Amino acid sequence: MKIQGKLIIIGGAVDRGSFTETNVPTDTSKNLNFFEAGILKRIINESKHKELSRIEVITTASIIPKVIGPEYIKAFNHLGANNADVLYIQKREQASDPEVLERLKAADVIMVTGGDQLRLTSILGGTLFDSIMLDKYRNSDFMYAGTSAGAAAASNNMIYQGSSSEALLKGEVKITSGLGLIDGVIIDTHFVKRGRIGRLFQAVVGNPKVLGIGLGEDTGLLITNGCQMEAIGSGLVILVDGREIKDTNLTQIEIGKPISINHLVTHVMSKYDKYDLETRKMSIRDTQNVEN
């Protein structure tokens, strides 16, 4: 089935400008380059009606929804997208509220903020909101954009816990089901600054069929047709492909013991690089330009 919608997953710490600060003009000017060419601008440009798109910001994962939600609205407004609002869903029963569902049906974009991805999936998973969102993503020109927890929860398999420093000890990484917008991948966020590559290694060695995606801060992927991925933002995307693993001690060792992996393939993507999930082929923008 060809996916009609678009998916943007972001590693977190999106440099959207801190409009809660008192010195708004100064702080805004520091972020003008990001506003003009960054991830939030790309979300608007890729949406169905551009600046006129109806955007709903979902703060379910956050413990400070009343702070983070309005900040996103101010950022979108600054970029010319004035048809944006916060849709507060803090309890599971709210995800079946008729007014909430009508707003979701009318939305062109939902922007899912950071926080706790397990909170996000436990509140939204299996609800009418979840069903309508998945249907819109699969069958219409609709965009799901998620940062940090919102990104981690987008796939079928979701990392929800695991120490970075001990991530390659068997059993340290905890995985559960996500929201299911994309299959065949597992996503980790805040990837560079928090040193989470070990978490992704363990997730992939446990099921090498799944492609690991590590998103750096202010970095993301635009995914179209359910399989065409383009790196966006200022940092790096790390891909971990386990299909060519030759050997591992994963099943022989006890819980808490170090994992060994022989021949784990990785790729590094930066802005405008592309990767096809179906063919598992990567194209680097600058080298393609040279060849052409």
Side-chain angles (χ1 to χ4, degrees):
M1 180 184 66
K2 184 178 180 181
I3 302 295
Q4 301 295 315
K6 296 176 181 177
L7 178 63
I8 291 184
I9 50 175
I10 310 158
V14 177
D15 186 12
R16 64 194 175 280
S18 181
F19 287 92
T20 57
E21 298 297 328
T22 56
N23 197 349
V24 174
T26 301
D27 291 333
T28 301
S29 66
K30 290 179 181 177
N31 291 282
L32 285 178
N33 183 60
F34 172 79
F35 286 140
E36 292 167 0
I39 295 175
L40 291 190
K41 185 65 174 177
R42 187 67 183 270
I43 289 172
I44 295 168
N45 289 342
E46 292 287 344
S47 67
K48 184 176 182 179
H49 300 297
K50 308 297 189 285
E51 286 84 358
L52 299 178
S53 290
R54 178 61 184 169
I55 302 171
E56 294 284 3
V57 177
I58 310 297
T59 57
T60 304
S62 178
I63 60 172
I64 50 169
K66 299 293 184 180
V67 175
I68 197 69
E71 190 168 329
Y72 270 95
I73 300 306
K74 291 176 183 177
F76 278 121
N77 290 168
H78 180 85
L79 292 167
N82 295 308
N83 193 13
D85 205 351
V86 183
L87 185 52
Y88 293 106
I89 306 172
Q90 301 304 308
K91 296 180 180 179
R92 189 171 172 81
E93 61 186 12
Q94 292 176 290
S96 297
D97 182 272
E99 181 180 349
V100 168
L101 298 179
E102 286 304 311
R103 287 177 60 176
L104 172 61
K105 291 175 183 177
D108 301 303
V109 178
I110 62 167
M111 175 75 215
V112 184
T113 70
D116 180 351
Q117 55 262 43
L118 192 59
R119 172 178 168 80
L120 180 63
T121 56
S122 65
I123 291 176
L124 296 185
T127 64
L128 283 173
F129 186 97
D130 186 26
S131 298
I132 293 170
M133 177 184 69
L134 288 171
D135 181 70
K136 282 173 68 73
Y137 171 66
R138 292 167 179 162
N139 300 301
S140 68
D141 188 1
F142 171 79
M143 180 188 292
Y144 174 104
T147 182
S148 190
S155 55
N156 273 354
N157 300 295
M158 178 185 81
I159 297 173
Y160 72 92
Q161 186 178 328
S163 165
S164 298
S165 61
E166 299 180 342
L168 275 174
L169 301 182
K170 183 177 178 178
E172 281 297 318
V173 177
K174 305 297 189 293
I175 298 172
T176 188
S177 297
L179 295 174
L181 286 96
I182 185 168
D183 196 10
V185 304
I186 192 162
I187 302 160
D188 210 351
T189 59
H190 298 284
F191 198 68
V192 178
K193 289 185 179 179
R194 299 188 187 178
R196 287 179 168 174
I197 195 164
R199 298 199 336 173
L200 207 54
F201 283 173
Q202 181 162 172
V204 170
V205 75
N207 185 0
K209 179 182 178 180
V210 174
L211 180 75
I213 299 176
L215 302 169
E217 287 76 7
D218 289 330
T219 307
L221 286 172
L222 165 65
I223 304 173
T224 55
N225 300 321
C227 63
Q228 302 293 327
M229 306 196 307
E230 177 189 337
I232 59 177
S234 62
L236 300 174
V237 178
I238 311 296
L239 304 180
V240 179
D241 189 342
R243 293 175 305 157
E244 296 183 29
I245 290 174
K246 294 180 179 179
D247 196 12
T248 177
N249 64 350
L250 180 66
T251 58
Q252 281 76 47
I253 59 174
E254 298 177 356
I255 295 294
K257 297 297 184 180
I259 300 170
S260 300
I261 310 169
N262 182 9
H263 206 264
L264 186 60
V265 175
T266 61
H267 308 279
V268 182
M269 299 176 70
S270 59
K271 193 173 183 179
Y272 302 126
D273 292 345
K274 296 184 178 180
Y275 188 89
D276 189 316
L277 281 170
E278 292 185 348
T279 64
R280 294 287 182 107
K281 299 289 186 181
M282 177 177 164
S283 59
I284 298 176
R285 183 202 188 200
D286 289 341
T287 58
Q288 292 296 312
N289 289 343
V290 170
E291 291 172 1
N292 295 329

